[in-house]
Amino acid sequence: AQSVTQLDSHVSVSEGTPVLLRCNYSSSYSPSLFWYVQHPNKGLQLLLKYTSAATLVKGINGFEAEFKKSETSFHLTKPSAHMSDAAEYFCVTGTSYGKLTFGQGTILTVHP
Amino acid sequence: DAGVIQSPRHEVTEMGQEVTLRCKPISGHNSLFWYRQTMMRGLELLIYFNNNVPIDDSGMPEDRFSAKMPNASFSTLKIQPSEPRDSAVYFCASSRADSGGAHEQYFGPGTRLTVT
């Protein structure tokens, strides 16, 4: 069965510093992987998705993620954090019929 | 496109009452998903439909919960009778999925349910 593990439940950074949110996946074949973001009291928004076309995936708001098969990782990064990036981030894997399996989430706090 | 539409956005009801949540998926999407989110349990998949047919309802908590999708543009999630532990945010999501793999889901704004 496919699954994802988010390695940090909370990450705190200062505004203007890099962001790294870690995610490892478990899959017996080429996975479908996504990152979603949820701002407080809002729905979930797709940041980016991996579809095997390229290992480095660029998403919205300056985020990107790199698929590393050797490490079974799909970490989310951003060069410079902004206050508006404060939210909860979910690493997600997909199965047939589009069913998604969500990680436990990482809460990102951005300090001025 | 207007995105996934959910109604109501907020619902406050008393224990024992029937609650109906509604969802209109994005036009052209053939899969629809109902989720529940709480602080304790996080995001849980309750049920999902493909081409209006329920595929997996193993996440539905108990018989008090039921979901229908009478056509491609409308779905309901009903709780009867409601209990305080049902208080949560309920999300609907839709995607253009097929058996060949997973596609991204688009989420609605959610319905915040409070049962007193």
Side-chain angles (χ1 to χ4, degrees):
Chain A
Q2 296 187 91
S3 65
V4 289
T5 302
Q6 293 183 243
L7 303 177
D8 307 291
S9 58
H10 291 82
V11 170
S12 181
V13 301
S14 297
E15 191 175 20
T17 64
V19 175
L20 170 63
L21 305 182
R22 299 183 295 164
C23 173
N24 287 348
Y25 69 89
S26 172
S27 174
S28 58
Y29 51 92
S30 183
S32 296
L33 294 166
F34 311 84
W35 276 98
Y36 280 81
V37 61
Q38 184 177 28
H39 287 91
N41 301 313
K42 299 288 187 183
L44 284 88
Q45 180 184 19
L46 178 69
L47 272 179
L48 51 83
K49 68 173 182 177
Y50 168 72
T51 58
S52 75
T55 57
L56 184 62
V57 183
K58 294 187 182 301
I60 62 172
N61 300 333
F63 283 95
E64 61 183 35
E66 186 172 7
F67 175 77
K68 292 187 176 180
K69 187 174 181 179
S70 60
E71 299 176 9
T72 61
S73 69
F74 190 58
H75 301 336
L76 182 70
T77 60
K78 183 173 181 178
S80 176
H82 192 274
M83 295 297 290
S84 61
D85 295 328
E88 187 164 16
Y89 292 79
F90 294 92
C91 182
V92 183
T93 188
T95 61
S96 60
Y97 291 111
K99 181 179 177 181
L100 300 181
T101 300
F102 285 76
Q104 289 305 104
T106 298
I107 295 174
L108 175 66
T109 302
V110 182
H111 298 287
Chain B
D1 198 314
V4 176
I5 299 172
Q6 291 187 248
S7 65
R9 294 293 309 277
H10 301 272
E11 177 79 36
V12 180
T13 190
E14 293 184 348
M15 182 174 64
Q17 297 298 306
E18 177 180 298
V19 175
T20 299
L21 311 181
R22 298 173 175 80
C23 176
K24 176 179 170 57
I26 292 172
S27 177
H29 284 188
N30 63 346
S31 288
L32 183 140
F33 307 79
W34 282 102
Y35 293 87
R36 177 172 69 176
Q37 187 177 40
T38 62
M39 290 291 291
M40 292 296 294
R41 292 198 179 94
L43 194 65
E44 303 172 276
L45 177 64
L46 300 177
I47 184 171
Y48 73 98
F49 297 83
N50 182 257
N51 294 324
N52 311 337
V53 175
I55 301 300
D56 184 352
D57 65 355
S58 60
M60 296 286 260
E62 49 198 273
D63 291 346
R64 297 185 297 106
F65 285 68
S66 62
K68 294 182 179 180
M69 191 164 187
N71 57 62
S73 60
F74 184 66
S75 177
T76 60
L77 178 67
K78 185 177 294 186
I79 307 172
Q80 166 64 21
S82 59
E83 297 182 3
R85 60 191 168 125
D86 301 330
S87 297
V89 181
Y90 291 81
F91 289 105
C92 176
S94 71
S95 74
R96 181 186 59 80
D98 54 49
S99 60
H103 295 266
E104 61 271 28
Q105 292 178 17
Y106 294 88
F107 283 75
T111 295
R112 183 174 296 276
L113 173 65
T114 303
V115 183
T116 60

